Coordinates of all heavy atoms in Angstrom, one line a residue:
M1 N 26.4 -7.7 8.7 CA 25.7 -8.7 9.4 C 24.2 -8.7 9.1 O 23.6 -9.7 8.9 CB 25.9 -8.6 10.9 CG 25.1 -9.6 11.7 SD 25.8 -9.8 13.3 CE 24.7 -11.0 14.0
A2 N 23.6 -7.5 9.0 CA 22.2 -7.4 8.7 C 21.9 -8.0 7.3 O 20.9 -8.7 7.2 CB 21.8 -5.9 8.6
A3 N 22.8 -7.9 6.3 CA 22.5 -8.5 5.0 C 22.5 -10.0 5.2 O 21.7 -10.6 4.5 CB 23.6 -8.1 4.0
T4 N 23.3 -10.5 6.0 CA 23.3 -12.0 6.2 C 22.0 -12.4 6.9 O 21.4 -13.4 6.4 CB 24.5 -12.4 7.2 OG1 25.7 -11.9 6.6 CG2 24.6 -13.9 7.3
L5 N 21.5 -11.7 7.9 CA 20.3 -12.0 8.5 C 19.1 -12.0 7.5 O 18.3 -12.9 7.4 CB 20.0 -11.1 9.7 CG 20.9 -11.3 10.9 CD1 20.5 -10.2 11.9 CD2 20.7 -12.6 11.5
F6 N 19.1 -10.9 6.7 CA 18.0 -10.8 5.7 C 18.0 -11.8 4.6 O 17.0 -12.3 4.2 CB 17.9 -9.4 5.2 CG 17.3 -8.4 6.1 CD1 18.1 -7.4 6.6 CD2 16.0 -8.5 6.6 CE1 17.6 -6.4 7.5 CE2 15.5 -7.6 7.5 CZ 16.3 -6.6 7.9
S7 N 19.2 -12.2 4.2 CA 19.3 -13.2 3.1 C 18.8 -14.6 3.5 O 18.5 -15.4 2.7 CB 20.8 -13.2 2.6 OG 21.6 -13.8 3.6
K8 N 18.8 -14.8 4.8 CA 18.3 -16.1 5.3 C 16.8 -16.1 5.6 O 16.3 -17.2 5.9 CB 19.1 -16.5 6.6 CG 20.6 -16.8 6.3 CD 21.3 -17.2 7.6 CE 22.7 -17.4 7.3 NZ 23.5 -17.8 8.5
C9 N 16.2 -15.0 5.5 CA 14.8 -14.9 5.8 C 14.0 -15.4 4.6 O 14.4 -15.2 3.5 CB 14.3 -13.5 6.1 SG 15.0 -12.9 7.7
N10 N 12.8 -16.0 4.9 CA 11.9 -16.3 3.8 C 11.1 -15.1 3.6 O 10.5 -14.5 4.5 CB 11.0 -17.5 4.2 CG 11.7 -18.8 4.3 OD1 12.6 -19.0 3.6 ND2 11.3 -19.6 5.2
L11 N 11.0 -14.6 2.3 CA 10.2 -13.5 2.0 C 8.8 -13.8 1.8 O 8.4 -14.9 1.3 CB 10.8 -12.8 0.7 CG 12.2 -12.3 0.8 CD1 12.7 -11.8 -0.6 CD2 12.4 -11.3 1.9
L12 N 7.9 -12.9 2.3 CA 6.5 -13.1 2.1 C 6.0 -12.3 1.0 O 6.5 -11.2 0.7 CB 5.8 -12.6 3.4 CG 6.1 -13.4 4.7 CD1 5.4 -12.7 5.9 CD2 5.7 -14.8 4.6
S13 N 4.9 -12.7 0.3 CA 4.3 -11.9 -0.7 C 3.5 -10.8 0.0 O 3.2 -10.9 1.2 CB 3.3 -12.8 -1.6 OG 2.2 -13.1 -0.8
A14 N 3.2 -9.8 -0.8 CA 2.4 -8.7 -0.2 C 1.1 -9.2 0.4 O 0.6 -8.8 1.4 CB 2.1 -7.6 -1.2
K15 N 0.5 -10.2 -0.3 CA -0.8 -10.7 0.1 C -0.7 -11.5 1.5 O -1.5 -11.3 2.4 CB -1.4 -11.7 -0.9 CG -2.8 -12.2 -0.6 CD -3.3 -13.0 -1.8 CE -4.8 -13.4 -1.5 NZ -5.4 -14.1 -2.6
E16 N 0.4 -12.3 1.6 CA 0.7 -13.0 2.9 C 1.0 -12.0 4.0 O 0.5 -12.1 5.1 CB 1.8 -13.9 2.7 CG 1.5 -15.1 1.8 CD 2.8 -15.9 1.4 OE1 3.8 -15.3 1.2 OE2 2.7 -17.1 1.3
L17 N 1.7 -10.9 3.6 CA 2.1 -9.9 4.6 C 0.9 -9.2 5.1 O 0.7 -8.9 6.3 CB 3.1 -8.9 4.0 CG 3.7 -7.9 5.0 CD1 4.4 -8.6 6.1 CD2 4.6 -7.0 4.2
T18 N -0.1 -8.9 4.2 CA -1.3 -8.2 4.6 C -2.1 -9.0 5.6 O -2.5 -8.5 6.6 CB -2.2 -7.9 3.3 OG1 -1.4 -7.1 2.4 CG2 -3.4 -7.2 3.7
G19 N -2.2 -10.3 5.4 CA -2.9 -11.1 6.3 C -2.2 -11.3 7.6 O -2.8 -11.3 8.7
L20 N -0.9 -11.4 7.6 CA -0.1 -11.5 8.8 C -0.1 -10.3 9.7 O -0.1 -10.4 10.9 CB 1.4 -11.8 8.4 CG 2.4 -12.0 9.5 CD1 2.1 -13.3 10.2 CD2 3.8 -12.1 8.9
L21 N -0.2 -9.1 9.1 CA -0.1 -7.9 9.9 C -1.4 -7.3 10.2 O -1.5 -6.1 10.3 CB 0.8 -6.9 9.1 CG 2.3 -7.2 9.0 CD1 3.0 -6.2 8.2 CD2 2.9 -7.4 10.4
S22 N -2.4 -8.1 10.4 CA -3.7 -7.5 10.8 C -3.6 -6.8 12.1 O -3.1 -7.4 13.1 CB -4.8 -8.7 10.9 OG -6.0 -8.2 11.4
L23 N -4.1 -5.6 12.2 CA -3.9 -4.8 13.4 C -5.3 -4.6 14.0 O -5.6 -3.6 14.6 CB -3.3 -3.5 13.0 CG -1.9 -3.6 12.4 CD1 -1.5 -2.3 11.8 CD2 -0.9 -4.2 13.4
K24 N -6.2 -5.6 13.9 CA -7.6 -5.5 14.3 C -7.7 -5.1 15.8 O -8.6 -4.4 16.2 CB -8.3 -6.8 14.1 CG -8.6 -6.9 12.6 CD -9.5 -8.1 12.4 CE -9.7 -8.4 10.9 NZ -10.6 -7.5 10.3
N25 N -6.8 -5.6 16.6 CA -6.9 -5.3 18.1 C -6.7 -3.8 18.3 O -7.1 -3.3 19.4 CB -5.9 -6.1 18.9 CG -4.4 -5.8 18.5 OD1 -4.1 -5.5 17.3 ND2 -3.5 -6.0 19.4
L26 N -6.1 -3.0 17.4 CA -6.0 -1.6 17.5 C -7.0 -0.9 16.6 O -7.1 0.4 16.5 CB -4.6 -1.1 17.0 CG -3.4 -1.7 17.9 CD1 -2.1 -1.3 17.3 CD2 -3.6 -1.2 19.3
G27 N -7.8 -1.7 15.9 CA -8.9 -1.1 15.0 C -8.4 -0.7 13.6 O -9.1 -0.1 12.9
F28 N -7.2 -1.2 13.3 CA -6.7 -0.9 11.9 C -6.4 -2.2 11.1 O -6.3 -3.3 11.7 CB -5.3 -0.2 12.1 CG -5.4 1.2 12.5 CD1 -5.3 1.6 13.8 CD2 -5.6 2.2 11.6 CE1 -5.4 2.9 14.3 CE2 -5.7 3.6 12.0 CZ -5.6 3.9 13.3
N29 N -6.4 -2.1 9.8 CA -6.0 -3.1 8.9 C -5.1 -2.6 7.9 O -5.0 -1.4 7.6 CB -7.2 -3.7 8.2 CG -8.1 -4.4 9.1 OD1 -7.8 -5.5 9.6 ND2 -9.3 -3.9 9.4
L30 N -4.3 -3.5 7.3 CA -3.5 -3.1 6.1 C -4.3 -3.5 4.9 O -4.9 -4.6 4.8 CB -2.2 -3.8 6.1 CG -1.1 -3.4 7.0 CD1 0.1 -4.2 6.9 CD2 -0.8 -1.9 6.8
A31 N -4.3 -2.6 3.9 CA -5.1 -2.9 2.6 C -4.1 -2.5 1.5 O -3.2 -1.7 1.6 CB -6.4 -2.1 2.6
E32 N -4.4 -3.1 0.3 CA -3.7 -2.8 -0.9 C -4.6 -2.3 -1.9 O -5.7 -2.7 -2.1 CB -3.1 -4.1 -1.5 CG -2.1 -4.8 -0.6 CD -1.7 -6.2 -1.2 OE1 -2.1 -6.5 -2.3 OE2 -0.9 -6.9 -0.6
I33 N -4.1 -1.2 -2.6 CA -4.9 -0.7 -3.8 C -3.9 -0.8 -5.0 O -2.8 -0.3 -4.9 CB -5.2 0.8 -3.6 CG1 -6.1 1.0 -2.3 CG2 -5.9 1.3 -4.8 CD1 -6.3 2.4 -2.0
R34 N -4.4 -1.5 -6.0 CA -3.6 -1.7 -7.2 C -4.0 -0.8 -8.2 O -5.2 -0.6 -8.5 CB -3.8 -3.2 -7.7 CG -3.0 -3.5 -8.9 CD -1.7 -4.0 -8.6 NE -1.0 -4.4 -9.9 CZ 0.1 -5.0 -9.9 NH1 0.7 -5.3 -8.8 NH2 0.6 -5.3 -11.0
V35 N -3.1 0.0 -8.8 CA -3.5 0.9 -9.9 C -3.5 0.2 -11.2 O -2.5 -0.3 -11.7 CB -2.4 2.1 -10.0 CG1 -2.8 3.1 -11.1 CG2 -2.3 2.8 -8.6
S36 N -4.7 0.0 -11.7 CA -4.9 -0.8 -13.0 C -4.8 0.1 -14.2 O -4.7 1.3 -14.1 CB -6.3 -1.4 -12.9 OG -7.3 -0.4 -13.2
P37 N -4.8 -0.5 -15.4 CA -4.6 0.3 -16.6 C -5.8 1.3 -16.8 O -5.6 2.3 -17.5 CB -4.6 -0.8 -17.7 CG -4.2 -2.0 -17.1 CD -4.7 -1.9 -15.6
V38 N -7.0 1.0 -16.2 CA -8.1 1.8 -16.4 C -8.4 2.7 -15.2 O -9.5 3.3 -15.1 CB -9.4 1.0 -16.8 CG1 -9.2 0.4 -18.2 CG2 -9.7 0.0 -15.8
S39 N -7.5 2.6 -14.2 CA -7.8 3.3 -12.9 C -7.8 4.8 -13.1 O -7.0 5.4 -13.9 CB -6.7 3.0 -11.9 OG -6.8 3.8 -10.8
S40 N -8.7 5.5 -12.5 CA -8.8 7.0 -12.5 C -7.6 7.6 -11.8 O -7.3 8.8 -11.9 CB -10.1 7.5 -12.0 OG -10.2 7.1 -10.6
Y41 N -6.8 6.8 -11.0 CA -5.7 7.3 -10.2 C -4.4 7.3 -11.1 O -3.5 8.0 -10.7 CB -5.4 6.4 -9.0 CG -6.6 6.5 -8.0 CD1 -7.1 5.3 -7.5 CD2 -7.2 7.6 -7.7 CE1 -8.2 5.3 -6.6 CE2 -8.3 7.7 -6.8 CZ -8.8 6.5 -6.3 OH -9.8 6.5 -5.4
R42 N -4.4 6.6 -12.2 CA -3.2 6.5 -13.0 C -2.8 7.9 -13.5 O -3.7 8.6 -14.0 CB -3.4 5.5 -14.2 CG -2.2 5.2 -14.9 CD -2.5 4.1 -15.9 NE -3.5 4.4 -16.8 CZ -3.4 4.9 -18.0 NH1 -2.2 5.1 -18.5 NH2 -4.4 5.2 -18.8
G43 N -1.6 8.3 -13.3 CA -1.1 9.6 -13.7 C -1.4 10.8 -12.8 O -1.0 11.9 -13.0
R44 N -2.1 10.5 -11.7 CA -2.4 11.5 -10.7 C -1.4 11.5 -9.6 O -0.8 10.5 -9.3 CB -3.8 11.3 -10.1 CG -4.9 11.6 -11.1 CD -6.3 11.3 -10.6 NE -6.6 11.9 -9.3 CZ -7.6 11.6 -8.6 NH1 -8.5 10.7 -9.0 NH2 -7.8 12.1 -7.4
L45 N -1.3 12.7 -8.9 CA -0.5 12.7 -7.7 C -1.2 11.9 -6.6 O -2.4 12.0 -6.5 CB -0.3 14.2 -7.2 CG 0.8 15.0 -7.9 CD1 0.7 16.4 -7.4 CD2 2.1 14.5 -7.6
L46 N -0.4 11.3 -5.8 CA -1.0 10.5 -4.6 C -1.8 11.5 -3.7 O -2.9 11.1 -3.2 CB 0.1 9.8 -3.8 CG -0.4 9.1 -2.6 CD1 -1.4 8.0 -3.0 CD2 0.7 8.6 -1.8
S47 N -1.3 12.7 -3.5 CA -2.0 13.7 -2.7 C -3.4 14.0 -3.2 O -4.2 14.5 -2.4 CB -1.1 14.9 -2.5 OG -0.9 15.5 -3.8
S48 N -3.7 13.7 -4.4 CA -5.0 14.1 -5.0 C -6.0 12.9 -4.8 O -7.2 13.1 -5.1 CB -4.9 14.5 -6.4 OG -4.6 13.3 -7.2
V49 N -5.6 11.8 -4.3 CA -6.4 10.6 -4.1 C -7.2 10.8 -2.7 O -6.5 10.9 -1.7 CB -5.6 9.3 -4.1 CG1 -6.5 8.1 -3.8 CG2 -5.0 9.1 -5.5
A50 N -8.5 10.7 -2.8 CA -9.3 10.9 -1.6 C -9.4 9.5 -0.9 O -10.0 8.6 -1.4 CB -10.7 11.4 -1.9
L51 N -8.8 9.4 0.3 CA -8.9 8.2 1.1 C -9.9 8.5 2.3 O -10.1 9.6 2.7 CB -7.5 7.9 1.7 CG -6.5 7.4 0.7 CD1 -5.1 7.3 1.4 CD2 -6.9 6.1 0.1
P52 N -10.4 7.4 2.8 CA -11.3 7.6 4.0 C -10.5 8.2 5.2 O -9.3 8.1 5.2 CB -11.7 6.1 4.4 CG -11.4 5.3 3.2 CD -10.3 6.0 2.4
E53 N -11.3 8.8 6.0 CA -10.6 9.4 7.2 C -9.9 8.3 8.0 O -10.3 7.2 8.0 CB -11.7 10.0 8.1 CG -11.2 10.9 9.2 CD -12.3 11.6 10.0 OE1 -13.3 12.0 9.3 OE2 -12.2 11.7 11.2
E54 N -8.8 8.7 8.6 CA -8.0 7.7 9.4 C -7.4 6.6 8.5 O -7.2 5.5 9.0 CB -8.8 7.1 10.6 CG -9.3 8.2 11.6 CD -9.9 7.5 12.8 OE1 -9.7 6.4 13.1 OE2 -10.7 8.3 13.5
S55 N -7.1 7.0 7.3 CA -6.4 6.1 6.4 C -5.1 6.8 5.9 O -5.2 8.0 5.6 CB -7.2 5.7 5.2 OG -8.4 5.0 5.6
R56 N -4.0 6.1 5.8 CA -2.7 6.6 5.3 C -2.0 5.7 4.4 O -2.0 4.5 4.7 CB -1.8 6.9 6.5 CG -2.3 7.9 7.5 CD -2.3 9.3 7.0 NE -2.9 10.3 8.0 CZ -4.1 10.6 8.1 NH1 -5.0 10.0 7.4 NH2 -4.5 11.5 9.1
V57 N -1.5 6.2 3.3 CA -0.6 5.4 2.5 C 0.7 5.2 3.1 O 1.4 6.3 3.4 CB -0.5 6.0 1.1 CG1 0.5 5.2 0.2 CG2 -1.9 6.0 0.4
L58 N 1.1 4.0 3.4 CA 2.4 3.8 4.1 C 3.6 3.8 3.1 O 4.6 4.3 3.3 CB 2.4 2.5 4.8 CG 1.4 2.3 5.9 CD1 1.5 0.9 6.6 CD2 1.6 3.4 7.0
C59 N 3.3 3.2 1.9 CA 4.3 3.2 0.8 C 3.7 2.8 -0.5 O 2.5 2.4 -0.5 CB 5.5 2.3 1.2 SG 5.0 0.5 1.2
I60 N 4.4 3.1 -1.5 CA 4.0 2.6 -2.9 C 5.0 1.6 -3.3 O 6.2 1.8 -3.2 CB 4.0 3.8 -3.9 CG1 3.0 4.9 -3.5 CG2 3.7 3.3 -5.3 CD1 3.0 6.1 -4.4
L61 N 4.5 0.4 -3.8 CA 5.4 -0.6 -4.3 C 5.3 -0.6 -5.8 O 4.3 -0.6 -6.4 CB 4.9 -2.0 -3.8 CG 4.8 -2.1 -2.2 CD1 4.2 -3.4 -1.8 CD2 6.2 -1.9 -1.6
R62 N 6.5 -0.6 -6.4 CA 6.7 -0.7 -7.9 C 7.6 -1.8 -8.2 O 8.7 -2.0 -7.6 CB 7.2 0.6 -8.4 CG 6.3 1.7 -8.4 CD 6.8 2.9 -9.1 NE 5.8 4.0 -9.2 CZ 6.0 5.2 -9.3 NH1 7.2 5.7 -9.3 NH2 5.0 6.1 -9.3
R63 N 7.3 -2.6 -9.2 CA 8.1 -3.7 -9.7 C 9.5 -3.2 -10.0 O 9.7 -2.2 -10.7 CB 7.5 -4.4 -10.9 CG 8.2 -5.6 -11.3 CD 7.6 -6.3 -12.5 NE 6.2 -6.6 -12.3 CZ 5.7 -7.7 -11.7 NH1 6.5 -8.6 -11.2 NH2 4.4 -7.9 -11.5
G64 N 10.5 -3.9 -9.4 CA 11.9 -3.6 -9.7 C 12.5 -2.4 -8.9 O 13.6 -2.0 -9.2
E65 N 11.7 -1.7 -8.1 CA 12.1 -0.5 -7.4 C 12.0 -0.8 -5.8 O 11.2 -1.6 -5.4 CB 11.3 0.7 -7.8 CG 11.5 1.1 -9.2 CD 10.8 2.4 -9.5 OE1 10.5 3.2 -8.6 OE2 10.4 2.6 -10.7
A66 N 12.7 0.0 -5.1 CA 12.6 0.0 -3.6 C 11.3 0.6 -3.3 O 10.7 1.5 -4.0 CB 13.7 0.8 -3.0
P67 N 10.7 0.3 -2.2 CA 9.4 0.9 -1.7 C 9.6 2.4 -1.7 O 10.6 2.9 -1.2 CB 9.1 0.3 -0.3 CG 9.9 -1.0 -0.3 CD 11.1 -0.8 -1.2
I68 N 8.5 3.1 -2.1 CA 8.6 4.6 -2.1 C 7.9 5.1 -0.8 O 6.7 4.8 -0.6 CB 7.9 5.2 -3.4 CG1 8.5 4.6 -4.6 CG2 7.8 6.7 -3.3 CD1 7.8 4.9 -5.9
L69 N 8.6 5.7 0.0 CA 8.1 6.2 1.3 C 7.9 7.8 1.2 O 8.6 8.4 0.4 CB 9.0 5.9 2.5 CG 9.4 4.4 2.6 CD1 10.4 4.2 3.6 CD2 8.1 3.6 2.9
G70 N 7.1 8.3 2.1 CA 6.9 9.8 2.0 C 6.5 10.2 0.7 O 7.1 11.1 0.1
C71 N 5.4 9.6 0.1 CA 5.1 9.7 -1.3 C 4.0 10.6 -1.7 O 3.4 10.4 -2.8 CB 4.8 8.2 -1.7 SG 3.7 7.3 -0.6
E72 N 3.7 11.6 -0.9 CA 2.6 12.5 -1.3 C 2.7 13.1 -2.7 O 1.7 13.4 -3.4 CB 2.4 13.6 -0.3 CG 1.9 13.1 1.1 CD 0.4 12.8 1.0 OE1 -0.3 13.5 0.4 OE2 0.1 11.8 1.6
N73 N 4.0 13.4 -3.1 CA 4.2 14.1 -4.4 C 4.6 13.1 -5.5 O 5.2 13.5 -6.5 CB 5.3 15.2 -4.2 CG 4.8 16.3 -3.3 OD1 3.6 16.7 -3.4 ND2 5.6 16.7 -2.4
T74 N 4.2 11.9 -5.3 CA 4.5 10.9 -6.3 C 3.4 10.7 -7.3 O 2.2 10.6 -6.9 CB 4.8 9.5 -5.6 OG1 5.9 9.7 -4.8 CG2 5.1 8.4 -6.6
F75 N 3.7 10.7 -8.6 CA 2.6 10.4 -9.6 C 2.4 8.9 -9.6 O 3.4 8.1 -9.7 CB 3.0 10.9 -11.0 CG 2.9 12.4 -11.1 CD1 4.0 13.3 -10.9 CD2 1.7 13.0 -11.4 CE1 3.8 14.6 -11.0 CE2 1.5 14.3 -11.6 CZ 2.6 15.2 -11.3
L76 N 1.2 8.5 -9.6 CA 0.8 7.0 -9.7 C 0.9 6.5 -11.1 O 0.5 7.1 -12.0 CB -0.6 6.8 -9.1 CG -0.7 7.3 -7.6 CD1 -2.1 7.1 -7.2 CD2 0.2 6.5 -6.7
R77 N 1.5 5.3 -11.2 CA 1.6 4.6 -12.4 C 0.8 3.3 -12.5 O 0.6 2.7 -11.4 CB 3.1 4.2 -12.7 CG 4.1 5.3 -12.7 CD 5.4 4.7 -12.9 NE 6.5 5.6 -12.6 CZ 7.8 5.3 -12.5 NH1 8.1 4.0 -12.6 NH2 8.7 6.2 -12.3
E78 N 0.5 2.9 -13.7 CA -0.2 1.6 -13.8 C 0.7 0.5 -13.2 O 2.0 0.5 -13.4 CB -0.3 1.3 -15.3 CG -0.9 -0.1 -15.6 CD -1.0 -0.3 -17.1 OE1 -1.0 0.6 -17.9 OE2 -1.0 -1.5 -17.4
G79 N 0.1 -0.4 -12.4 CA 0.9 -1.4 -11.7 C 1.4 -1.1 -10.3 O 1.8 -2.0 -9.6
D80 N 1.3 0.2 -9.9 CA 1.7 0.5 -8.6 C 0.7 -0.1 -7.6 O -0.5 -0.3 -7.9 CB 1.5 2.1 -8.3 CG 2.7 2.9 -8.9 OD1 3.6 2.3 -9.4 OD2 2.6 4.1 -8.9
T81 N 1.3 -0.5 -6.4 CA 0.5 -1.0 -5.3 C 0.6 -0.1 -4.1 O 1.7 0.2 -3.7 CB 0.9 -2.4 -4.9 OG1 0.7 -3.3 -6.0 CG2 0.1 -3.0 -3.8
L82 N -0.5 0.5 -3.7 CA -0.5 1.4 -2.5 C -0.7 0.5 -1.3 O -1.7 -0.3 -1.3 CB -1.6 2.4 -2.6 CG -1.6 3.2 -3.9 CD1 -2.8 4.2 -3.8 CD2 -0.3 3.9 -4.2
V83 N 0.1 0.6 -0.3 CA -0.1 -0.1 1.0 C -0.7 0.9 1.9 O 0.0 1.9 2.2 CB 1.2 -0.7 1.5 CG1 1.0 -1.4 2.8 CG2 1.9 -1.7 0.5
V84 N -1.9 0.6 2.4 CA -2.7 1.6 3.2 C -3.0 1.0 4.6 O -3.4 -0.1 4.7 CB -4.0 1.9 2.4 CG1 -4.8 2.9 3.2 CG2 -3.7 2.4 1.0
L85 N -2.7 1.9 5.6 CA -3.2 1.6 6.9 C -4.5 2.3 7.1 O -4.6 3.5 6.9 CB -2.1 2.1 7.9 CG -2.4 1.8 9.4 CD1 -2.3 0.3 9.7 CD2 -1.5 2.6 10.3
T86 N -5.5 1.5 7.5 CA -6.9 2.1 7.5 C -7.7 1.5 8.6 O -7.5 0.3 9.0 CB -7.6 1.9 6.2 OG1 -8.8 2.6 6.2 CG2 -7.7 0.5 5.8
K87 N -8.7 2.2 9.1 CA -9.8 1.7 9.9 C -11.0 1.3 9.1 O -11.9 0.6 9.5 CB -10.2 2.7 10.9 CG -9.2 2.9 12.1 CD -9.8 3.7 13.2 CE -8.8 3.7 14.4 NZ -9.4 4.3 15.5
D88 N -11.0 1.7 7.8 CA -12.2 1.4 6.9 C -11.7 0.6 5.7 O -11.7 1.1 4.6 CB -12.8 2.8 6.5 CG -14.1 2.6 5.8 OD1 -14.5 1.5 5.5 OD2 -14.7 3.7 5.5
E89 N -11.4 -0.6 5.9 CA -10.8 -1.5 4.9 C -11.8 -1.7 3.7 O -11.3 -1.6 2.6 CB -10.4 -2.8 5.5 CG -9.7 -3.7 4.5 CD -9.3 -5.0 5.1 OE1 -9.7 -5.4 6.2 OE2 -8.6 -5.8 4.4
E90 N -13.0 -1.8 4.0 CA -14.0 -2.0 2.9 C -14.1 -0.9 1.9 O -14.1 -1.1 0.7 CB -15.4 -2.3 3.5 CG -15.5 -3.7 4.2 CD -15.1 -4.8 3.3 OE1 -15.5 -4.9 2.1 OE2 -14.3 -5.7 3.8
T91 N -14.1 0.4 2.4 CA -14.1 1.5 1.6 C -12.8 1.6 0.7 O -12.8 1.9 -0.5 CB -14.3 2.8 2.4 OG1 -15.6 2.7 3.0 CG2 -14.3 4.1 1.5
V92 N -11.7 1.4 1.4 CA -10.4 1.4 0.7 C -10.4 0.4 -0.4 O -9.9 0.7 -1.5 CB -9.2 1.2 1.7 CG1 -7.9 1.0 0.9 CG2 -9.1 2.4 2.6
R93 N -10.9 -0.8 -0.2 CA -10.8 -1.8 -1.2 C -11.7 -1.5 -2.4 O -11.5 -2.0 -3.5 CB -11.2 -3.2 -0.6 CG -10.2 -3.7 0.3 CD -10.4 -5.2 0.6 NE -9.4 -5.6 1.6 CZ -8.1 -5.9 1.3 NH1 -7.7 -5.8 0.0 NH2 -7.3 -6.4 2.2
R94 N -12.7 -0.6 -2.2 CA -13.6 -0.2 -3.3 C -13.0 0.9 -4.2 O -13.6 1.2 -5.2 CB -15.0 0.2 -2.8 CG -15.8 -1.0 -2.3 CD -17.3 -0.6 -2.1 NE -17.4 0.4 -1.1 CZ -17.7 0.2 0.2 NH1 -17.8 -1.0 0.7 NH2 -17.8 1.2 1.0
L95 N -12.0 1.5 -3.7 CA -11.4 2.7 -4.5 C -10.8 2.2 -5.8 O -10.4 1.1 -6.0 CB -10.3 3.3 -3.6 CG -10.8 4.0 -2.4 CD1 -9.6 4.6 -1.6 CD2 -11.7 5.2 -2.7

């Protein structure tokens, strides 16, 4: 039954979902960090990436794969998108 429910849902892009899930009333926002070809994060463990205090990576999105959860020991690849819950969205976006 769950598969039937989900197959009838309209899927949102990550950008639309980010805007939809603003958690400002709690002081948090969702932000995305894209690992570019020239990113210093490419090839590094997620646990080695310095995020602002009170920020957490919720998952890593990779094309063609299921979201990666509990990802501290995951090596970052070009094209990865980190979905981050943060109180400091501006600093996260500059990473």
